[in-house]
Amino acid sequence: MDFSVIENVGKTQHPKTYDGHIQYGTAGFRTRATILDHVLYRMGVLAVLRSKAKNAVIGLMITASHNPECDNGVKLVDPAGEMLEASWEKIATELANVNDSDISSTVQRIISEQNISINTPASVIIGRDTRTSSAALANSSIAGITAANGTFKNFGVITTPQLHYLVVCTNTNGSYGDATLEGYYRKLSNAFKSIRGGSPSSDKYVPSVKLDAANGVGAIAAREFKKQLEGFLNIEIYNVANENLNHECGADYVKVQQVPPATVPVEINCRCVSIDGDADRVVYYYVDEKAKFHLLDGDRIATLVAGYFKELLNKSGLNLKLGLVQTAYANGGSTHYIENVLKIPVACVPTGVKHLHHKALEFDIGIYFEANGHGTVVFKDSAIEAIRETSASSDSSTAQKDAASKLASAIEVINQTVGDALSDMLLVETILHANGWDVLAWESSYNDLPNKQVKVKVEDRNVISTTDAERKCVKPVGLQEEIDKIVSRYPKGRSFIRASGTEDVVRVYAECENSTDVEKIAQDVASAVRRLAGGVSLS
């Protein structure tokens, strides 16, 4: 590894032209695409170092998920498909922000501090979304990988979950699946068709959905699933252009605005699905006969999955620990239903997939979903083995075998590496088919508390500090007391704030029993944030 080459290429071909501080957040770096060239170059270098440190293939995904087209970003994916280790987030932030003349010394210090053998081979898998800036940024990362003497495989335009899948398959030598896009589609599609079996248990379930692909890369994957699942699930795809990415469409828009995209021809009580720009979030929704919008978000998906898995576990006779992980954004109605009706343990963790995923791994079967629709199910190897043994054992009854077989097929439908919008959609469709449910039956399982989210722009998001899985604000001093006073005036009132991981914004969440009061709570808390945390505007 020639450190002078790494620094010289950075200085001359990918110089740092942005003086502001860029931070690696919960979803990697994410900001305006025009200032990311030097960051992508340096992350190419860092991916090589991480690969050497882990002696495994590392993923590098170029995407800004649900952000507008003008933004972009990059995140590194660790060997088991998980987010980059937290300690390396600080390393990534430092390397991205040093002066061009300090690249060599910084890289050498990382190698020394992390005890990296520079003779270990390094390999990186690259993927990107459909943004116009993504191709050039991919080339910047390739320049960094090459300068650091790493090798790479560029899969071009793919979804973020597909990149995670490819990383895991490569590092497990194919035991998780075939490390190709064809292998990804084949694994999920075959399992979906296998578990469906015969007709649904009632005629309420109609095997057809309207899918809003957010004008992003998910449209490509959705088309392939539509082809492979013909005769099992009809997928009508909308918002498939490579422009206007996430503009008034996509999972984040539907979740926050509480309206369907104008481009999706919504019919009464028809199941509609929206994914986000890189296809790792999914939400369901429908419009009733009174034209009222109904959202079935990540909380609804989590409870649906939890109920289904608990039923199959009971029927199979397997004694496996099932648990569900939520964040503070989870609706209080869902938490009450899970704990008191389903009687499944619930854990609450800070926002961010890495926190949810880590906690879910503590259960034999861990289900995690953020309210925004980002989530999946993870299984311990011992749980998978027990499920497969039961499905094949001569000592198991027919009912036990059948339940265990369905669990085994469900495992293959799920992309355990990360939240996968299309995999999650197939899981939801599997369960609705098994239950014989339409959207009305699904929604009737429990009542959500009315809720509202707003954003407050601030001068510096780092003035906000929280604890108790982000449910309590400890800085600025006095702000939590203000929030407590506000929510105490409303039945079942709850509100919390948290700083964005990618921009100088404070997010406010509010819920209470009466829908007419939710807006009051949200605006009052937002005003307190502006007053005590240096807010500059409200949106």
Side-chain angles (χ1 to χ4, degrees):
M1 183 179 289
D2 192 328
F3 302 111
S4 63
V5 169
I6 293 173
E7 184 165 302
N8 185 57
V9 173
K11 279 182 179 179
T12 60
Q13 299 178 35
H14 305 279
K16 182 175 180 284
T17 58
Y18 177 67
D19 292 332
H21 184 78
I22 303 177
Q23 184 173 330
Y24 196 107
T26 55
F29 292 105
R30 192 178 295 176
T31 185
R32 298 191 308 276
T34 52
I35 63 176
L36 280 171
D37 175 69
H38 78 281
V39 175
L40 267 294
Y41 171 76
R42 297 176 187 196
M43 289 307 100
V45 174
L46 190 68
V48 170
L49 299 184
R50 184 63 176 166
S51 178
K52 289 177 180 292
K54 301 298 290 184
N55 193 22
V57 172
I58 296 297
L60 186 152
M61 185 68 197
I62 301 162
T63 181
S65 187
H66 58 280
N67 282 38
E69 164 73 23
C70 60
D71 290 347
N72 217 322
V74 58
K75 55 185 175 182
L76 301 186
V77 176
D78 265 353
E82 71 273 41
M83 297 299 183
L84 181 66
E85 183 181 317
S87 64
W88 277 66
E89 292 180 6
K90 296 178 181 178
I91 295 172
T93 298
E94 180 186 12
L95 182 58
N97 287 283
V98 298
N99 293 327
D100 291 335
S101 58
D102 295 324
I103 295 176
S104 175
S105 60
T106 303
V107 169
Q108 291 181 69
R109 180 162 49 79
I110 294 169
I111 290 171
S112 175
E113 291 177 351
Q114 299 299 318
N115 196 27
I116 297 171
S117 171
I118 60 174
N119 295 321
T120 301
S123 185
V124 182
I125 292 177
I126 304 170
R128 59 183 170 90
D129 68 16
T130 54
R131 295 166 199 269
T132 53
S133 59
S134 290
L137 292 175
N139 288 334
S140 301
S141 70
I142 289 171
I145 295 168
T146 303
N149 289 334
T151 62
F152 66 90
K153 188 167 186 178
N154 186 1
F155 278 86
V157 176
I158 58 175
T159 70
T160 293
Q162 286 174 336
L163 178 85
H164 285 253
Y165 168 88
L166 292 165
V167 169
V168 174
C169 290
T170 302
N171 284 318
T172 57
N173 296 316
S175 64
Y176 183 76
D178 180 17
T180 64
L181 291 179
E182 293 77 12
Y184 167 85
Y185 292 120
R186 184 170 56 249
K187 178 182 179 180
L188 271 62
S189 296
N190 288 348
F192 177 80
K193 289 185 281 190
S194 172
I195 198 173
R196 296 275 279 199
S199 300
S201 56
S202 85
D203 58 6
K204 288 184 178 180
Y205 177 81
V206 177
S208 180
V209 296
K210 294 180 183 291
L211 172 65
D212 156 32
N215 292 318
V217 62
I220 299 171
R223 287 194 190 102
E224 184 60 31
F225 279 121
K226 177 181 177 68
K227 181 174 66 176
Q228 297 213 15
L229 299 177
E230 185 176 359
F232 289 84
L233 180 66
N234 177 40
I235 306 173
E236 299 178 29
I237 311 171
Y238 301 89
N239 296 324
V240 298
N242 287 330
E243 55 187 24
N244 296 321
L245 178 67
N246 295 314
H247 179 65
E248 296 185 352
C249 62
D252 191 62
Y253 172 81
V254 171
K255 168 68 176 171
V256 174
Q257 300 300 323
Q258 301 276 306
V259 294
T263 48
V264 177
V266 178
E267 301 170 6
I268 294 174
N269 297 338
C270 174
R271 275 194 326 284
C272 298
V273 183
S274 282
I275 63 177
D276 65 334
D278 67 339
D280 65 0
R281 295 183 181 187
V282 60
V283 295
Y284 274 70
Y285 52 94
Y286 73 97
V287 174
D288 65 22
E289 62 277 357
K290 295 181 180 179
K292 181 182 178 182
F293 174 82
H294 296 254
L295 179 68
L296 299 135
D297 61 8
D299 293 337
R300 291 281 178 183
I301 295 172
T303 57
L304 180 74
V305 174
Y308 178 69
F309 274 73
K310 182 176 182 180
E311 180 182 359
L312 290 181
L313 285 173
N314 288 340
K315 289 181 178 179
S316 69
L318 286 161
N319 184 25
L320 297 176
K321 186 178 180 182
L322 175 67
L324 197 146
V325 187
Q326 295 183 320
T327 71
Y329 283 107
N331 192 281
S334 73
T335 306
H336 180 271
Y337 174 72
I338 297 161
E339 291 181 327
N340 297 289
V341 179
L342 295 179
K343 299 189 182 303
I344 294 173
V346 178
C348 185
V349 298
T351 303
V353 175
K354 61 185 178 183
H355 303 298
L356 290 146
H357 194 92
H358 179 75
K359 189 67 177 179
L361 292 172
E362 295 181 11
F363 298 98
D364 293 324
I365 302 176
I367 302 165
Y368 70 84
F369 273 88
E370 293 180 288
N372 63 25
H374 196 171
T376 189
V377 186
V378 293
F379 301 80
K380 286 185 177 178
D381 289 342
S382 56
I384 295 175
E385 183 179 354
I387 289 168
R388 290 174 176 167
E389 286 179 355
T390 299
S391 68
S393 174
S394 59
D395 295 329
S396 302
S397 68
T398 300
Q400 288 175 325
K401 285 184 179 181
D402 180 63
S405 294
K406 288 178 179 177
L407 281 169
S409 292
I411 292 170
E412 297 302 303
V413 172
I414 295 164
N415 185 347
Q416 294 187 60
T417 63
V418 71
D420 183 333
L422 295 169
S423 165
D424 291 338
M425 181 187 77
L426 296 184
L427 180 60
V428 168
E429 293 301 316
T430 293
I431 299 169
L432 294 178
H433 175 273
N435 292 349
W437 283 1
D438 58 10
V439 285
L440 300 175
W442 179 10
E443 189 180 32
S444 68
S445 56
Y446 70 88
N447 294 321
D448 270 330
L449 291 174
N451 59 92
K452 176 75 175 181
Q453 293 186 51
V454 297
K455 296 191 297 185
V456 182
K457 294 181 181 179
V458 293
E459 295 289 353
D460 180 10
R461 66 182 183 272
N462 293 310
V463 301
I464 299 293
S465 179
T466 61
T467 188
D468 188 23
E470 300 177 323
R471 290 176 289 190
K472 297 291 182 183
C473 176
V474 294
K475 290 183 180 178
V477 174
L479 182 51
Q480 184 60 49
E481 287 76 9
E482 286 286 317
I483 296 172
D484 292 341
K485 288 178 184 177
I486 293 168
V487 300
S488 68
R489 298 195 291 264
Y490 304 94
K492 297 184 180 178
R494 181 172 74 94
S495 182
F496 70 92
I497 65 170
R498 61 175 288 271
S500 167
T502 57
E503 54 185 329
D504 284 324
V505 162
V506 175
R507 304 187 189 280
V508 176
Y509 176 89
E511 68 179 29
C512 67
E513 189 174 61
N514 193 328
S515 60
T516 60
D517 293 330
V518 171
E519 184 72 27
K520 297 177 186 177
I521 297 178
Q523 296 301 337
D524 286 350
V525 172
S527 295
V529 171
R530 282 185 290 171
R531 189 171 65 254
L532 297 175
V536 294
S537 65
L538 178 67
S539 61

Coordinates of all heavy atoms in Angstrom, one line a residue, residues 190-221:
N190 N -39.1 -18.1 -4.7 CA -39.4 -19.6 -4.5 C -40.0 -19.8 -3.2 O -40.9 -20.6 -3.0 CB -38.1 -20.4 -4.8 CG -37.7 -20.5 -6.2 OD1 -38.5 -20.1 -7.1 ND2 -36.5 -21.0 -6.5
A191 N -39.4 -19.2 -2.1 CA -39.9 -19.4 -0.8 C -41.3 -18.8 -0.7 O -42.2 -19.4 0.0 CB -39.0 -18.7 0.2
F192 N -41.6 -17.7 -1.3 CA -42.9 -17.1 -1.3 C -43.9 -18.0 -1.9 O -45.0 -18.2 -1.3 CB -42.9 -15.7 -2.0 CG -44.2 -15.0 -2.1 CD1 -44.7 -14.3 -1.0 CD2 -45.0 -15.1 -3.3 CE1 -46.0 -13.7 -1.1 CE2 -46.2 -14.5 -3.4 CZ -46.7 -13.7 -2.3
K193 N -43.6 -18.5 -3.0 CA -44.5 -19.4 -3.7 C -44.7 -20.7 -3.0 O -45.8 -21.3 -2.9 CB -44.0 -19.7 -5.1 CG -44.2 -18.5 -6.1 CD -43.8 -18.8 -7.5 CE -42.3 -18.8 -7.7 NZ -41.9 -18.9 -9.1
S194 N -43.7 -21.2 -2.3 CA -43.8 -22.4 -1.5 C -44.7 -22.3 -0.3 O -45.5 -23.2 0.0 CB -42.4 -22.9 -1.1 OG -42.4 -23.9 -0.2
I195 N -44.6 -21.2 0.4 CA -45.3 -21.0 1.6 C -46.8 -20.7 1.4 O -47.7 -20.9 2.2 CB -44.7 -19.9 2.5 CG1 -45.2 -20.0 4.0 CG2 -45.0 -18.5 2.0 CD1 -44.5 -19.1 4.9
R196 N -47.1 -20.2 0.2 CA -48.5 -19.8 -0.1 C -49.4 -21.0 -0.2 O -50.6 -20.9 0.3 CB -48.6 -19.0 -1.5 CG -47.8 -17.7 -1.5 CD -48.6 -16.6 -1.0 NE -49.5 -16.1 -2.0 CZ -50.1 -14.9 -1.9 NH1 -49.8 -14.1 -0.9 NH2 -50.9 -14.4 -2.8
G197 N -48.9 -22.1 -0.8 CA -49.8 -23.3 -0.8 C -51.0 -23.0 -1.6 O -51.0 -22.5 -2.7
G198 N -52.2 -23.4 -1.1 CA -53.4 -23.3 -1.8 C -54.1 -21.9 -1.7 O -53.4 -20.9 -1.5
S199 N -55.4 -22.0 -1.7 CA -56.2 -20.7 -1.6 C -56.1 -20.1 -0.2 O -55.9 -20.8 0.8 CB -57.6 -21.0 -2.0 OG -57.7 -21.6 -3.3
P200 N -56.4 -18.8 -0.1 CA -56.4 -18.2 1.2 C -57.6 -18.7 2.0 O -58.5 -19.3 1.5 CB -56.6 -16.7 0.8 CG -57.2 -16.7 -0.5 CD -56.6 -17.8 -1.2
S201 N -57.5 -18.5 3.3 CA -58.5 -19.0 4.2 C -59.9 -18.3 4.1 O -60.9 -18.8 4.7 CB -58.0 -19.0 5.7 OG -57.7 -17.7 6.0
S202 N -59.9 -17.2 3.4 CA -61.2 -16.5 3.2 C -61.1 -15.7 1.9 O -60.0 -15.5 1.4 CB -61.6 -15.6 4.3 OG -61.0 -14.3 4.2
D203 N -62.2 -15.3 1.3 CA -62.2 -14.6 0.1 C -62.0 -13.1 0.3 O -62.0 -12.3 -0.7 CB -63.5 -14.8 -0.7 CG -64.8 -14.4 0.1 OD1 -64.6 -13.8 1.2 OD2 -65.9 -14.6 -0.4
K204 N -61.7 -12.7 1.5 CA -61.3 -11.3 1.8 C -60.0 -10.9 1.1 O -59.8 -9.8 0.7 CB -61.3 -11.0 3.3 CG -62.7 -11.0 4.0 CD -62.5 -10.6 5.4 CE -63.9 -10.5 6.1 NZ -63.7 -10.1 7.5
Y205 N -59.1 -11.9 1.2 CA -57.8 -11.6 0.6 C -57.8 -11.7 -0.9 O -58.1 -12.7 -1.5 CB -56.7 -12.6 1.2 CG -55.3 -12.4 0.6 CD1 -54.5 -11.4 1.1 CD2 -54.9 -13.1 -0.5 CE1 -53.3 -11.1 0.5 CE2 -53.6 -12.9 -1.0 CZ -52.8 -11.9 -0.5 OH -51.6 -11.7 -1.1
V206 N -57.3 -10.6 -1.5 CA -57.2 -10.6 -3.0 C -55.7 -10.5 -3.3 O -55.0 -9.5 -2.8 CB -57.9 -9.4 -3.6 CG1 -57.7 -9.3 -5.1 CG2 -59.4 -9.5 -3.2
P207 N -55.1 -11.4 -4.1 CA -53.7 -11.4 -4.3 C -53.2 -10.3 -5.3 O -52.7 -10.6 -6.4 CB -53.4 -12.8 -4.9 CG -54.7 -13.1 -5.6 CD -55.8 -12.5 -4.7
S208 N -53.4 -9.1 -5.0 CA -53.1 -7.9 -5.8 C -52.7 -6.7 -5.0 O -53.4 -6.4 -4.0 CB -54.2 -7.6 -6.8 OG -53.9 -6.6 -7.7
V209 N -51.7 -6.0 -5.4 CA -51.3 -4.8 -4.7 C -50.9 -3.7 -5.7 O -50.5 -4.0 -6.8 CB -50.1 -5.0 -3.7 CG1 -50.5 -5.9 -2.6 CG2 -48.9 -5.5 -4.5
K210 N -51.1 -2.4 -5.3 CA -50.6 -1.3 -6.1 C -49.3 -0.8 -5.4 O -49.4 -0.5 -4.2 CB -51.7 -0.2 -6.1 CG -52.9 -0.6 -6.9 CD -53.9 0.6 -6.9 CE -55.2 0.2 -7.6 NZ -55.1 0.0 -9.0
L211 N -48.2 -0.8 -6.1 CA -46.9 -0.5 -5.5 C -46.4 0.8 -6.1 O -46.2 1.0 -7.3 CB -45.9 -1.6 -5.8 CG -44.5 -1.4 -5.5 CD1 -44.3 -1.2 -4.0 CD2 -43.6 -2.5 -6.0
D212 N -46.1 1.7 -5.2 CA -45.5 3.0 -5.5 C -44.0 2.8 -5.3 O -43.5 2.6 -4.1 CB -46.1 4.1 -4.5 CG -45.1 5.3 -4.3 OD1 -44.4 5.6 -5.3 OD2 -45.2 5.9 -3.2
A213 N -43.2 2.9 -6.4 CA -41.8 2.6 -6.3 C -40.9 3.9 -6.1 O -39.7 3.8 -6.2 CB -41.3 1.9 -7.6
A214 N -41.5 5.0 -5.8 CA -40.8 6.2 -5.4 C -39.9 6.8 -6.5 O -39.0 7.5 -6.3 CB -40.0 6.0 -4.1
N215 N -40.1 6.3 -7.8 CA -39.3 6.7 -8.9 C -37.8 6.4 -8.6 O -36.9 7.1 -9.0 CB -39.4 8.2 -9.2 CG -40.8 8.6 -9.7 OD1 -41.3 7.8 -10.6 ND2 -41.3 9.6 -9.3
G216 N -37.6 5.2 -7.9 CA -36.3 4.8 -7.5 C -35.9 3.5 -8.0 O -36.6 2.8 -8.9
V217 N -34.8 3.0 -7.5 CA -34.2 1.7 -7.9 C -35.1 0.5 -7.6 O -35.1 -0.5 -8.3 CB -32.8 1.5 -7.3 CG1 -32.9 1.4 -5.7 CG2 -32.1 0.3 -7.8
G218 N -36.0 0.7 -6.6 CA -36.9 -0.4 -6.3 C -37.9 -0.8 -7.4 O -38.4 -1.9 -7.5
A219 N -38.1 0.1 -8.4 CA -38.9 -0.2 -9.5 C -38.3 -1.3 -10.3 O -39.0 -2.2 -10.9 CB -39.1 1.1 -10.4
I220 N -37.0 -1.3 -10.4 CA -36.3 -2.4 -11.2 C -36.5 -3.7 -10.5 O -36.9 -4.7 -11.2 CB -34.8 -2.1 -11.3 CG1 -34.6 -0.7 -12.0 CG2 -34.1 -3.2 -12.0 CD1 -33.2 -0.2 -12.0
A221 N -36.3 -3.8 -9.2 CA -36.5 -5.0 -8.5 C -38.0 -5.4 -8.5 O -38.3 -6.6 -8.6 CB -36.0 -4.9 -7.1

